Amino acid sequence: MRKYWVLQRKSFSFLIDKKTTVSIIALTFAAVAAMLISIGVGDMYIAPWDVFNALIGTGLDINQLIITEFRLPRVLVAFIAGASLALSGAILQGIIRNPLASPDMIGITGGAGFAAVAFLTMFSDDSNNLLLSINYLPLFAFGGATIVAFLIYALAWKDGVTPIRLILIGIGLMALLQALTTLMMLMGPIYRASQATIWLTGTVYGTSWNEVKALLPWFIGLIPILVLLVRRLNIQGFGDDLTKGAGISVHRERFLLLMVCTALAGSAVAFAGAMGFVGLIGPHIARRISGSSFGGLFPASALIGGIMVVLADLAGRTLFSPLEVPAGVFTAAIGAPYFIYLLFKNQ
């Protein structure tokens, strides 16, 4: 029993070493810099110092209008969505103990995408008008992600849930959902199929303060829950036997973590679309910086994921101007080669 108690005590430690602390502070400054640059760059360039003045209310009226009404909500949603997806990926990699796990790999974001396409297809009339308000789209997307998460857990249950069954069931559901999503797009109006394709790629185009007000409470509300669960997630890395010996209910904790993961991924996809590979790359880069302890891994993953989506959105609206490319195109362009690299590295 003493062996387990010592192991539990070390694994539950939430202390972050000096190197990790410095790294997280550096990432915080990098995130602020990325957001300031993204807010300032556009059809009308605004210098970082002028952006700062506008944010504190001392800038020019035209700058304050452009920043507060158009650019700031978009950047905030991009950062929160990226941070949520990266946190979701870090949780899944901890639950499944597989470095290739992410919400888009096991079908959680696929569930949100299918629900969104079904909404656009089922509630469109012959004149391409929606019978329900587009504001219901995020609700449908989140509901789809939640239902898929429950299905994954239920189908993977066999005298408990093992990580390998969880990921195999998730991959199977992901393939099924992709097929159903394609079928829905073929059955629906052409205009809605084009709209669904852009949304599935991942974009924060047209974001307003309404989206910020809807997404931010989810993110803030889930962080304290994650802090309470992160200590137990550390010890799960030692295997189910040691986790049970430490007095932790493995299946209950795994289910709670999966629900937090789903809420983070579902809320992000609901408001920013299915940003591919953010949940995979963010935790990997963070692990190289902060180590494998989730006390440092989670904040580092959130910051890196947020920076990724902010910069991807910046590239999407500036590199091919006046054409605007969805941010998800750039996250996938970076993520796909990185995924292949991970496959070779992990044999």
Side-chain angles (χ1 to χ4, degrees), residues 63-185:
N63 289 349
Q64 288 186 239
L65 175 65
I66 292 173
I67 290 171
T68 57
E69 294 299 322
F70 300 105
R71 295 183 183 175
L72 182 58
R74 179 170 182 157
V75 170
L76 287 176
V77 169
F79 182 84
I80 297 171
S84 298
L85 288 171
L87 281 172
S88 179
I91 294 170
L92 270 181
Q93 291 172 15
I95 295 173
I96 300 176
R97 300 196 291 273
N98 188 317
L100 302 180
S102 66
D104 44 340
M105 293 293 173
I106 71 165
I108 292 177
T109 56
F114 171 72
V117 173
F119 172 83
L120 294 173
T121 302
M122 294 169 59
F123 296 104
S124 293
D125 58 19
D126 295 335
S127 301
N128 288 334
N129 296 317
L130 279 176
L131 303 177
L132 285 180
S133 171
I134 194 67
N135 294 326
Y136 286 103
L137 177 62
L139 182 62
F140 271 72
F142 179 74
T146 305
I147 291 171
V148 169
F150 275 107
L151 276 175
I152 292 172
Y153 201 85
L155 293 174
W157 183 273
K158 186 178 181 181
D159 297 327
V161 175
T162 60
I164 187 65
R165 285 181 62 83
L166 204 64
I167 195 168
L168 289 176
I169 293 294
I171 290 172
L173 281 176
M174 177 191 68
L176 175 63
L177 288 166
Q178 286 178 341
L180 292 175
T181 301
T182 303
L183 179 63
M184 277 287 180
M185 292 173 67

Side-chain angles (χ1 to χ4, degrees), residues 181-206:
T181 301
T182 303
L183 179 63
M184 277 287 180
M185 292 173 67
L186 292 173
M187 292 173 58
I190 295 176
Y191 169 75
R192 294 302 176 193
S194 175
Q195 186 180 9
T197 301
I198 295 173
W199 188 87
L200 286 171
T201 305
T203 181
V204 288
Y205 175 79

Side-chain angles (χ1 to χ4, degrees), residues 279-290:
L280 175 70
I281 300 176
H284 268 280
I285 299 174
R287 198 170 282 110
R288 292 177 176 271
I289 295 173
S290 64

Side-chain angles (χ1 to χ4, degrees), residues 289-306:
I289 295 173
S290 64
S292 58
S293 173
F294 287 95
L297 180 63
F298 280 157
S301 296
L303 290 166
I304 291 170

Side-chain angles (χ1 to χ4, degrees), residues 246-257:
I248 298 174
S249 175
V250 176
H251 303 304
R252 184 190 65 190
E253 297 295 328
R254 199 166 280 161
F255 178 77
L256 289 174
L257 286 164

Side-chain angles (χ1 to χ4, degrees), residues 183-242:
L183 179 63
M184 277 287 180
M185 292 173 67
L186 292 173
M187 292 173 58
I190 295 176
Y191 169 75
R192 294 302 176 193
S194 175
Q195 186 180 9
T197 301
I198 295 173
W199 188 87
L200 286 171
T201 305
T203 181
V204 288
Y205 175 79
T207 300
S208 67
W209 283 108
N210 290 331
E211 283 77 15
V212 177
K213 293 175 182 178
L215 179 58
L216 190 59
W218 281 96
F219 185 72
I220 294 176
L222 290 168
I223 294 302
I225 301 174
L226 192 57
V227 170
L228 293 175
L229 295 175
V230 67
R231 299 171 180 260
R232 299 183 179 93
L233 185 56
N234 273 330
I235 198 172
Q236 288 194 31
F238 293 104
D240 291 355
D241 292 337
L242 288 178

Side-chain angles (χ1 to χ4, degrees), residues 258-277:
L258 183 62
M259 290 300 101
V260 174
C261 166
T262 302
L264 286 167
S267 60
V269 173
F271 292 97
M275 299 277 182
F277 294 101

